[in-house]
Amino acid sequence: MINPRILWCALAVTTLVVPVPSASAQEPAATQSDSLLAELRALRARLDSLEHVVAELRAEHRDTTEAVDELAALREAAAAAAAEADTTAEAEAPSQAGGLLNRLNPEISVTGDVRGSLVRPGPQTDVFEVREFEFSFQAALDPYASTKVFIAWEDGAVDLEEGYVYWSGLPGGIGVDLGRLRQQLGKTNRVHLHALPQSEYPLVTRTYFGEEGLIGDGARLYWMAPFAGLGGATHELWGEFTVGGNDVLFEGGDRLSFLGHLNNFWELGRSSFFEFGLTGLWGENPDEDLDSRVFGADLRYTWRPPGRELYRSFTVRGEVYGARKRRAGEGDTRHGWFLGAEYQFGRGWYTGARFDYVERLEGPSGLHDWAIVPYLTWYQSEWVHLRGEWQHHSSPGPDGPRETSDRFLIQVVWAVGPHKHESY
C-alpha cells in the first residue's frame, strides 16, 4: 500500500504541472517571460522538496515507486517550462532587433522657408515666395563613419545642396569629409540659407560666389591642434580639395581648386568667447584663361551671461575678402566686407542689423554696392520662427547717380524632425 505521504506529494506535483490557461498568452512578451521564469523557479523548488521526501522514504526502506514516477514527471514539467521560457526569449529577439534597426534609420527632417515682401520702387510682383523646402538625412553608418544629405526643392527644381560621408577621430585627431560640401569659407557660407541670422547671405558672398554661396565636390580634411596657443587659444585647420566649378569665380571650370582655413578660438571668461579666422582659396579655368584667388578674414564675438543665456546674448560677426579674377594675366583685386550685430532681449526675441559693402568683381574699378539690413526675429518655438526685415540697397546707376531700393519682408521658417543645421 502506498504511503499517504507519497500520495500527498503526487497530488501537489499534479496540481503544479497543470498548465495555466490563456490569460498569459495575451500578455506582452516581457510580462509572459517573467511569468514563465517565476513558474520555473516554483517547479524547481517543489522538485527539491519531492527529492527530499523520496530520500526519506528510501531511508525508511519504503516503496518509492509511485513517488519516483511522480518525481520524473515533475522533472519533465520543469524541463518543458524551461524550454518555453527560452522560446519566449527567442520570440522577443525580433522585437529587440527591430528596435536596433530603428536606431540605425537616418534622422529625417524637412524645413520650409516662405517669404512675403513689398518693394520700392514698384511694381509689386512675386509678393509671396515659397523659397525652399529642404529635406535632410543624417545617420551614423557604422562606428567609424557618418553621413549627411541635404536635398533642396527651390524654384521648381530639386537639387543636392550637400551630401557627404565623414570620418572623425582618425589617428592624429584628423577628420575627413567626402562628397558635396558647403565650403569652409569664413563662418556664414557653411550655414544653410534658412538658418542664417538674416534671410539672405551677405552681399559679398553673393557677389563673389553666387546666390547659394560656395559649394564644391571633393574632399575636406580637418584637424584640431592638440595644444593651446597664445592666451589659451584653440586652433582648427581645414584643407579642401574640390572641383572649381563655381559659376561666378571659376565660370564653371572643371579643374582642381584648393581652400585652406585656419580658425582660432579664445574663451574670454564664463560669459564670452572670441573667434578669428583666415581663409585662402585658389583655382583656375584654363579653357577661359582664368586664374582666381580669394583671401579673407572673419571674426565673431559672443556674450552670454551664465544662468541667463536663454534670455540675453549679444553677438558681433564680420568677414572681409579680397578677390581677384585674372584673365590672360589681367585683373586687379576687389574688396568686400560685412559687419553685423545681434542682441537677444528676451526668450526667443532677437534684433540686429548688418552692413554690407562690396566692389564688383569685374568691370571698371570703383564700382561698388552697399546695403543695410535691420531685422527682428521671434522664435515661436524650436520648430518655428518668424522674421521681419528691411533691406535698403544702393548700387551704381548706368548714368552716374546711384540708385536705391527698399524691400520689406516677412519670413516664416518651420521644421519637422531634428533639423540639425550646419551652423558654425
Side-chain angles (χ1 to χ4, degrees):
M1 183 175 179
I2 298 176
N3 192 299
R5 190 174 179 183
I6 298 175
L7 290 176
W8 180 87
C9 293
L11 179 62
V13 170
T14 304
T15 303
L16 187 61
V17 174
V18 172
V20 178
S22 70
S24 62
Q26 299 176 359
E27 295 177 353
T31 304
Q32 187 175 1
S33 175
D34 293 342
S35 177
L36 287 170
L37 290 174
E39 182 180 350
L40 180 59
R41 283 194 292 269
L43 285 170
R44 285 174 177 168
R46 292 297 182 92
L47 180 61
D48 293 340
S49 176
L50 187 55
E51 285 178 339
H52 179 68
V53 170
V54 170
E56 288 181 353
L57 293 174
R58 283 176 174 170
E60 296 175 8
H61 303 287
R62 297 185 183 182
D63 184 7
T64 61
T65 304
E66 191 76 17
V68 169
D69 290 343
E70 295 297 339
L71 182 60
L74 183 59
R75 284 172 175 165
E76 291 178 3
E84 189 174 354
D86 291 341
T87 303
T88 303
E90 291 176 0
E92 289 177 356
S95 173
Q96 296 172 357
L100 291 173
L101 288 174
N102 286 335
R103 286 195 289 272
L104 291 175
N105 286 337
E107 295 178 346
I108 301 175
S109 305
V110 181
T111 303
D113 183 353
V114 175
R115 300 191 301 177
S117 62
L118 298 174
V119 297
R120 186 192 63 84
Q124 307 303 325
T125 60
D126 297 327
V127 174
F128 291 101
E129 174 190 14
V130 180
R131 184 164 65 163
E132 182 184 64
F133 278 93
E134 183 181 88
F135 301 81
S136 68
F137 307 85
Q138 305 182 49
L141 301 174
D142 54 39
Y144 313 102
S146 300
T147 186
K148 295 183 179 181
V149 179
F150 300 89
I151 299 173
W153 179 89
E154 187 176 5
D155 295 329
V158 177
D159 186 36
L160 177 64
E161 183 170 355
E162 278 195 285
Y164 58 92
V165 59
Y166 61 97
W167 294 264
S168 56
L170 296 176
I174 295 175
V176 178
D177 302 347
L178 183 65
R180 175 163 293 184
L181 314 164
R182 292 201 67 89
Q183 297 189 244
Q184 188 63 51
L185 181 76
K187 290 290 187 294
T188 56
N189 186 75
R190 285 199 68 180
V191 180
H192 288 197
L193 191 61
H194 55 261
L196 289 169
Q198 303 85 28
S199 67
E200 294 179 341
Y201 291 107
L203 265 181
V204 62
T205 302
R206 289 179 278 152
T207 301
Y208 291 168
F209 311 105
E211 291 295 324
E212 298 295 327
L214 187 64
I215 301 173
D217 297 342
R220 172 166 56 215
L221 279 73
Y222 162 82
W223 177 73
M224 178 179 288
F227 54 83
L230 182 64
T234 299
H235 303 292
E236 302 168 310
L237 183 64
W238 283 265
E240 298 181 350
F241 304 87
T242 59
V243 176
N246 185 271
D247 290 335
V248 176
L249 199 61
F250 304 117
E251 299 184 2
D254 58 4
R255 300 302 178 92
L256 191 66
S257 66
F258 171 75
L259 182 147
H261 178 82
L262 172 66
N263 188 61
N264 309 279
F265 176 94
W266 288 269
E267 187 173 356
L268 304 180
R270 293 183 59 204
S271 61
S272 59
F273 66 86
F274 177 74
E275 289 181 278
F276 177 74
L278 296 170
T279 303
L281 170 64
W282 174 84
E284 60 181 357
N285 184 352
D287 296 336
E288 301 292 336
D289 199 11
L290 179 66
D291 175 275
S292 299
R293 300 186 182 188
V294 177
F295 299 96
D298 59 86
L299 62 87
R300 176 182 176 183
Y301 168 80
T302 295
W303 168 80
R304 288 194 185 96
R308 297 284 293 168
E309 60 273 4
L310 294 178
Y311 304 91
R312 294 289 184 273
S313 66
F314 178 69
T315 298
V316 176
R317 56 173 65 86
E319 298 179 18
V320 58
Y321 294 97
R324 184 188 69 192
K325 286 179 69 174
R326 179 171 292 179
R327 198 184 306 273
E330 299 292 332
D332 55 358
T333 301
R334 308 297 171 89
H335 298 89
W337 55 274
F338 77 86
L339 182 65
E342 180 178 78
Y343 177 66
Q344 179 187 4
F345 60 91
R347 182 157 187 167
W349 288 94
Y350 297 81
T351 186
R354 187 189 72 212
F355 183 83
D356 295 344
Y357 175 93
V358 61
E359 296 176 346
R360 297 192 172 181
L361 198 54
E362 294 186 278
S365 61
L367 295 180
H368 68 275
D369 294 70
W370 64 266
I372 184 169
V373 185
Y375 62 93
L376 174 67
T377 303
W378 174 46
Y379 283 82
Q380 174 181 310
S381 67
E382 180 184 350
W383 296 273
V384 181
H385 72 261
L386 299 88
R387 175 176 295 122
E389 186 174 287
W390 169 40
Q391 301 173 353
H392 178 75
H393 184 261
S394 174
S395 59
D399 301 323
R402 297 188 66 83
E403 297 179 347
T404 61
S405 63
D406 295 278
R407 187 182 188 190
F408 305 89
L409 64 87
I410 299 293
Q411 180 188 25
V412 180
V413 176
W414 70 95
V416 178
H419 60 282
K420 298 175 180 177
H421 305 305
E422 290 280 56
S423 181
Y424 298 85

